[in-house]
Amino acid sequence: MRLTVLSGGVGGARFTRGLLALLADRGEPADVTVVANTGDDMWLHGVRVCPDLDTLMYTLGGAVHEEQGWGRRDETSRVSADLAAYGVGWEWFTLGDLDLATHLARTQWLREGLTLSEATARLSARWGLAGQGVRLLPMSDQPVETHVDVGAGEPIHFEEWWVRHRASVPARGFVQVGLAAATAAPGVLESIAAADVVVLPPSNPVVSVGTILAVPGIRDALAITPAAVVGVSPIIGGAPVRGMAAECLAAIGVEATAEAVARHYGRRGAGGVLDAWLVDDADADAAAALARDGWATAATDTLMRDVPATARIAAEALSLVAR
Amino acid sequence: MRLTVLSGGVGGARFTRGLLALLADRGEPADVTVVANTGDDMWLHGVRVCPDLDTLMYTLGGAVHEEQGWGRRDETSRVSADLAAYGVGWEWFTLGDLDLATHLARTQWLREGLTLSEATARLSARWGLAGQGVRLLPMSDQPVETHVDVGAGEPIHFEEWWVRHRASVPARGFVQVGLAAATAAPGVLESIAAADVVVLPPSNPVVSVGTILAVPGIRDALAITPAAVVGVSPIIGGAPVRGMAAECLAAIGVEATAEAVARHYGRRGAGGVLDAWLVDDADADAAAALARDGWATAATDTLMRDVPATARIAAEALSLVAR
């Protein structure tokens, strides 16, 4: 079974890890393409930081800081502490020493002329992704940066809004700088076209999956692929499990409910991207309401407590679109 | 007394520290401009590394790794160890974690459009150089990189020849890439013109002081300044005290002796840059030979064992040109 996952950071990475565990349990060889949001990427002190790509790489490579969900295990912050002594800005952004090595290697390769896809493949080699049957792709090789319209002044970088302000400054909207000139990275559209199932994991529907869907060509590829497209709700009982998705949804006028997010994604054939939608038991009403409108839905315990629990969620998602 | 020092890394930094101690001992306010060689600078993993500027900054700021002579005290190498795990090149170049913070801050400022002079002033602020009466200037704000002609293939970066090959590959010559388009940084020519004494400390005469002298305008400024120009020999008893100056001198056909280096620098009024030359007691013969040709010279113990010993050497150098 060929699978393509359109993923943000922590939620998508944990889901994909569960999906791989499921395939391993079943004795099925994995053939998984993960398309990562790169809208959170930024230049910081001259190095290129790609938060979602790195979270995916560390999580699937067994190097992630498990409790935190992102960054490296056994991380230190010698460099960033010393940077702060120079009074250099963005002190609020954690730049771990081990994480920095990833950024420096990537930056060197980008400056040597490699594309982000090529640099990502080189970085992934260290973490054994290919050996697990996983191909990690950025959504685009062109820089796309999500900026947040906060009303006053210029829009600020998403990471500044998200990490520095903890999304506490009301967002009026999001601008993907560079999106119009971006194209899907090599292999992205092909992986959607050739997949048996495309999965929208429980990632942020606005600034993670939403940004991927906004890359020219990706929505069209989803519309015409023979693959089934199934999503897992990132909202449980009216609140995001993690992160500040509610603030992002509010900015685009979508309620933070499992049903509203499903309707925001929309159904294939009706201008949307989904064939099926998995919600939490807490949102059984949402599943029922969607089912009345003809959606393939189900409710289950969708809290990704650990890898086995997540493997079971992945199994439920796949069973929704099993043919 | 206004002083200008044309300095490489370790030798020049230690000499300047001794000079400052001398002025403090004498109760004289320091007014010292240090012009640093930037020919060893390079881009490494996307960050700008300036070895001599940093050695000067750390040494005068009390943060240097004393035994090593360069880099930071209490340094670690978490980032570079992790970079090596990515198989990224230049593993032979030590990139300490604390040192990296300096490179990242500098790189951020350079990318924001600051000149190297401006970035250096910001970095120096942390190390209290201004409070010591020291102004640290790069020789030029334009990138100049010393490459080494090793016969086969393209010339290699000086740091690769020096650090990786420990100067064991015979050099046929040195090329300063970017030199023709470089100009002296703001304040450099002015500091030479306004100085009472210009000092050539015991730095490498070829790839440190030689590179500074090659910046368009600097030799002319030395020729016409009313300041006295005094040098301290980096060669003691036919061998450099530190580093691989002999290999550099061999490449340009100059003997590694205190006398030959003096004659290589030359006397002012005869196409050279020096008024006086201080050598070690071991080279009393060289001093005598130069004196017979009309040079102002003296021999003393020039080994910079510690700060007091270096202060004494600085006093001897200044006394050679005292008016």
Side-chain angles (χ1 to χ4, degrees):
Chain A
M1 183 160 54
R2 279 175 296 190
L3 293 152
T4 293
V5 183
L6 309 185
S7 177
V10 182
R14 287 182 172 167
F15 180 87
T16 304
R17 186 170 57 174
L19 181 64
L20 292 173
L22 172 71
L23 297 173
D25 287 349
R26 290 182 175 172
E28 282 187 42
D31 182 353
V32 178
T33 300
V34 181
V35 178
N37 167 46
T38 56
D40 305 358
D41 294 9
M42 58 183 172
W43 288 102
L44 185 58
H45 313 307
V47 299
R48 189 68 178 166
V49 179
C50 301
D52 289 355
L53 279 170
D54 292 349
T55 296
L56 280 157
M57 204 162 61
Y58 299 155
T59 303
L60 302 181
V64 77
H65 186 298
E66 200 59 52
E67 293 69 39
Q68 194 171 255
W70 50 270
R72 295 276 297 275
R73 207 170 41 214
D74 304 320
E75 185 57 290
T76 49
S77 54
R78 298 262 295 162
V79 177
S80 58
D82 206 73
L83 260 170
Y86 280 116
V88 171
W90 288 57
E91 295 87 354
W92 45 267
F93 190 84
T94 304
L95 199 64
D97 297 331
L98 301 180
D99 207 22
L100 191 53
T102 302
H103 309 325
L104 287 166
R106 173 192 295 122
T107 302
Q108 167 151 331
W109 291 326
L110 291 176
R111 293 207 183 283
E112 284 172 5
L114 269 68
T115 63
L116 181 57
S117 298
E118 292 165 340
T120 301
R122 284 205 190 172
L123 292 170
S124 297
R126 173 179 172 192
W127 302 109
L129 268 55
Q132 298 181 59
V134 176
R135 194 167 54 137
L136 177 61
L137 303 178
M139 65 185 197
S140 176
D141 278 339
Q142 286 83 44
V144 174
E145 290 196 358
T146 301
H147 288 206
V148 185
D149 176 2
V150 290
E154 288 289 298
I156 60 178
H157 191 287
F158 173 74
E159 291 290 343
E160 187 169 0
W161 180 71
W162 187 257
V163 180
R164 183 181 200 174
H165 299 298
R166 307 289 306 159
S168 62
V169 182
R172 297 188 178 188
F174 301 95
V175 189
Q176 273 78 29
V177 180
L179 194 67
T183 55
V188 169
L189 301 182
E190 296 80 350
S191 83
I192 293 171
D196 296 301
V197 178
V198 176
V199 184
L200 274 54
S203 288
N204 189 308
V206 184
V207 295
S208 295
V209 179
T211 304
I212 298 173
L213 294 178
V215 174
I218 291 189
R219 233 170 218 287
D220 289 345
L222 284 168
I224 61 171
T225 179
V229 184
V230 58
V232 179
S233 175
I235 306 286
I236 296 184
V241 176
R242 191 193 159 83
M244 296 155 286
E247 289 78 356
C248 297
L249 287 164
I252 62 164
V254 174
E255 251 191 304
T257 66
E259 183 179 346
V261 171
R263 294 193 190 278
H264 168 65
Y265 278 136
R267 285 179 70 196
R268 288 218 292 171
V273 297
L274 288 176
D275 292 311
W277 187 238
L278 183 66
V279 303
D280 190 77
D281 286 325
D283 300 303
D285 288 356
L290 290 165
R292 280 194 296 276
D293 287 348
W295 289 67
T297 62
T300 188
D301 178 357
T302 62
L303 199 60
M304 299 188 286
R305 284 183 190 79
D306 52 28
V307 176
T310 309
R312 194 194 44 73
I313 298 164
E316 295 273 357
L318 293 183
S319 73
L320 262 183
V321 291
R323 281 168 287 198
Chain B
M1 184 159 54
R2 278 175 296 191
L3 293 152
T4 293
V5 182
L6 309 186
S7 177
V10 183
R14 287 182 172 168
F15 181 87
T16 304
R17 186 170 56 175
L19 181 64
L20 293 173
L22 172 71
L23 297 173
D25 286 350
R26 290 182 175 172
E28 281 188 42
D31 182 353
V32 178
T33 300
V34 181
V35 178
N37 167 46
T38 55
D40 306 358
D41 295 8
M42 60 184 170
W43 288 102
L44 185 57
H45 313 307
V47 299
R48 189 68 177 166
V49 179
C50 301
D52 288 356
L53 280 170
D54 291 348
T55 297
L56 280 156
M57 204 162 61
Y58 299 153
T59 303
L60 303 180
V64 78
H65 186 297
E66 201 58 52
E67 293 70 39
Q68 195 170 253
W70 50 269
R72 295 276 297 276
R73 207 169 43 213
D74 304 320
E75 185 58 290
T76 49
S77 55
R78 298 261 296 161
V79 178
S80 58
D82 206 72
L83 260 171
Y86 281 116
V88 171
W90 287 57
E91 296 88 353
W92 45 267
F93 190 85
T94 303
L95 198 64
D97 297 330
L98 302 179
D99 207 20
L100 191 53
T102 303
H103 309 325
L104 287 167
R106 174 192 292 123
T107 302
Q108 167 151 331
W109 291 327
L110 291 176
R111 294 205 183 283
E112 283 172 6
L114 269 68
T115 63
L116 181 57
S117 297
E118 292 165 339
T120 301
R122 284 205 191 174
L123 292 170
S124 298
R126 173 179 172 192
W127 302 109
L129 267 55
Q132 298 181 59
V134 177
R135 194 167 53 137
L136 178 59
L137 302 178
M139 65 184 197
S140 176
D141 278 339
Q142 286 82 45
V144 174
E145 289 195 359
T146 301
H147 289 205
V148 185
D149 176 2
V150 290
E154 288 290 298
I156 60 177
H157 191 286
F158 173 73
E159 291 290 343
E160 186 169 2
W161 181 71
W162 187 257
V163 179
R164 182 181 200 174
H165 298 299
R166 307 290 304 160
S168 64
V169 182
R172 296 187 177 189
F174 301 95
V175 189
Q176 273 79 28
V177 179
L179 194 67
T183 56
V188 169
L189 301 181
E190 296 80 351
S191 83
I192 293 172
D196 295 301
V197 179
V198 176
V199 184
L200 274 54
S203 288
N204 189 307
V206 184
V207 294
S208 295
V209 180
T211 304
I212 298 174
L213 295 178
V215 174
I218 292 190
R219 234 171 217 287
D220 289 346
L222 284 168
I224 61 170
T225 179
V229 184
V230 58
V232 179
S233 176
I235 305 286
I236 296 183
V241 177
R242 190 193 161 81
M244 295 155 289
E247 289 77 357
C248 297
L249 288 164
I252 62 163
V254 175
E255 251 191 303
T257 67
E259 184 179 346
V261 171
R263 294 193 190 278
H264 168 65
Y265 278 136
R267 285 179 69 196
R268 289 218 292 172
V273 297
L274 288 175
D275 292 312
W277 186 237
L278 183 67
V279 303
D280 190 78
D281 287 325
D283 300 303
D285 289 357
L290 289 164
R292 280 194 296 276
D293 288 348
W295 288 67
T297 63
T300 188
D301 178 358
T302 61
L303 198 60
M304 299 188 286
R305 283 182 191 80
D306 51 27
V307 175
T310 308
R312 194 192 46 71
I313 298 164
E316 295 274 356
L318 293 183
S319 73
L320 262 183
V321 291
R323 280 169 288 199

